[in-house]
Amino acid sequence: RRVHGDVDDGDAAPVADEQEYNDPDRFNAEVFETVKRAAEEGIEIRNVVLEINGLKFAYDVNFADVGNALVPAIVSLIRLDEAAAAIVAKAKATIGHWAPLLEKFRHSRDDELEIADALMQFCIDHEAARRIFHIVLQLLFENEVLSAEAILAWEPEALNRRLDEDRGIEAERPIVAQMLAKAAPFLAFLRENGDDDGDDD
């Protein structure tokens, strides 16, 4: 935040600045535009980290809030109007490129859960993206953004954690169920792999 010197009581500028920096929608929009610009201009991830970190401090948000803002910005870079094979290839390239940015702002299990929540909410809100939910979820795991433990802890509560209450949970239930059904083979793999690891101990 900017530091102001002595200000007359009638000067409302600092109050306006404070209100702007307390607006989560504004923060999300700034993160979105930062990622979009970085993708268009080929800005290095390390420099994007600095920009996002600056926004994090300016808006006084936590790491989970940053993850919640980054996921829609990153997934939006995946073009969904191409053939299936091209979409998968683009998803792999996109998540592979931006995973280090997500990792920089993922420091706890709660941060991981927020990332998974944000992915699901984005796909709920954008019908075209629903067909890549399971693909992106798996890519976040393969790129070490999400752990198997976090995904398996998140999945049973996915329906209740993030649904838009204004629209009603029942309206979203079939959408969530459909996306999780597509992710079922991947989730089963994680469970089986976890069981195997446990047997080795």
Side-chain angles (χ1 to χ4, degrees):
R1 294 189 177 109
R2 289 181 292 174
V3 178
H4 296 271
D6 295 335
V7 180
D8 293 336
D9 292 340
D11 190 343
V15 176
D17 288 347
E18 188 72 21
Q19 290 174 342
E20 288 178 0
Y21 284 121
N22 285 332
D23 184 349
D25 290 336
R26 186 181 176 90
F27 170 74
N28 291 341
E30 288 211 43
V31 170
F32 191 98
E33 289 303 316
T34 298
V35 171
K36 180 181 177 182
R37 176 171 49 82
E40 292 172 347
E41 299 178 7
I43 298 174
E44 293 185 10
I45 292 294
R46 62 183 179 179
N47 293 328
V48 183
V49 170
L50 294 176
E51 289 194 49
I52 299 297
N53 207 40
L55 291 172
K56 176 182 179 296
F57 282 105
Y59 283 87
D60 192 23
V61 298
N62 58 35
F63 288 110
D65 294 325
V66 177
N68 180 56
L70 282 174
V71 170
I74 292 170
V75 178
S76 293
L77 299 175
I78 303 171
R79 290 192 58 178
L80 300 173
D81 57 352
E82 300 179 344
I87 292 174
V88 172
K90 180 63 174 178
K92 287 181 177 180
T94 300
I95 301 303
H97 177 76
W98 294 98
L101 179 62
L102 284 166
E103 287 184 77
K104 286 290 185 180
F105 296 97
R106 180 224 61 210
H107 292 269
S108 69
R109 174 66 61 82
D110 285 344
D111 297 341
E112 292 186 70
L113 297 178
E114 190 69 21
I115 289 171
D117 282 342
L119 173 61
M120 170 160 282
Q121 191 64 53
F122 179 84
C123 293
I124 288 174
D125 293 338
H126 299 82
E127 184 175 356
R130 295 173 193 171
R131 59 175 173 158
I132 64 166
F133 167 79
H134 61 298
I135 296 171
V136 175
L137 185 67
Q138 182 170 338
L139 289 170
L140 290 172
F141 167 73
E142 292 176 355
N143 285 275
E144 301 183 346
V145 175
L146 299 179
S147 66
E149 294 78 11
I151 293 172
L152 292 177
W154 166 83
E155 184 264 337
E157 296 297 322
L159 182 64
N160 298 320
R161 282 179 56 85
R162 187 55 184 256
L163 295 177
D164 189 336
E165 295 180 1
D166 292 338
R167 290 179 291 184
I169 191 170
E170 292 304 323
E172 309 290 9
R173 191 178 296 275
I175 299 172
V176 173
Q178 183 181 44
M179 289 193 293
L180 291 178
K182 284 190 174 183
F186 169 59
L187 296 171
F189 164 79
L190 294 183
R191 293 189 191 95
E192 292 167 4
N193 191 59
D195 291 343
D196 291 342
D197 290 344
D199 293 340
D200 292 340
D201 292 338

